[in-house]
Amino acid sequence: MAKKNKPAAPPSAASQDKPATLKDLLNPDVVSKLKAQADQMKAEAEVQREEARKQAEAARKAEQKRLDNNFEYLLNNSGMDWKKYK
């Protein structure tokens, strides 16, 4: 039996057969606006996270200040053995 030669497929045809993406279909101006909006939203989310972190830090400091003024708390949490000083 004789071998049949198969025709080689051109590689450029495979790249042209790829399905069109949304980026290809949209106007470049629209794509740039969407990217700018996404960057802005990320920046706003970062600012919100930073503000939440600052508020939590302020709340921790306020609680620690309140506890530092509480003599019972300080006495219970001191490392000294007060029985030695009776």
Side-chain angles (χ1 to χ4, degrees):
M1 290 191 138
K3 292 184 180 179
K4 294 183 181 179
N5 291 334
K6 294 183 181 179
S12 62
S15 64
Q16 292 176 354
D17 291 341
K18 291 182 182 177
T21 62
L22 184 59
K23 183 178 178 182
D24 296 335
L25 297 175
L26 288 177
N27 189 0
D29 293 336
V30 173
V31 173
S32 65
K33 286 180 184 178
L34 288 173
K35 285 184 180 180
Q37 185 179 10
D39 291 340
Q40 180 184 6
M41 290 175 70
K42 287 179 185 177
E44 289 174 1
E46 182 66 31
V47 168
Q48 286 179 347
R49 280 193 299 259
E50 184 66 23
E51 287 178 5
R53 186 191 63 79
K54 285 181 181 179
Q55 287 179 352
E57 182 68 26
R60 280 193 296 274
K61 284 183 181 180
E63 180 66 16
Q64 186 62 41
K65 186 174 181 179
R66 185 187 67 79
L67 290 174
D68 286 346
N69 291 331
N70 186 349
F71 184 73
E72 181 183 3
Y73 172 80
L74 292 174
L75 185 63
N76 290 336
N77 292 321
S78 67
M80 298 182 74
D81 185 12
W82 292 101
K83 294 178 183 176
K84 294 180 184 176
Y85 302 106
K86 281 189 175 181

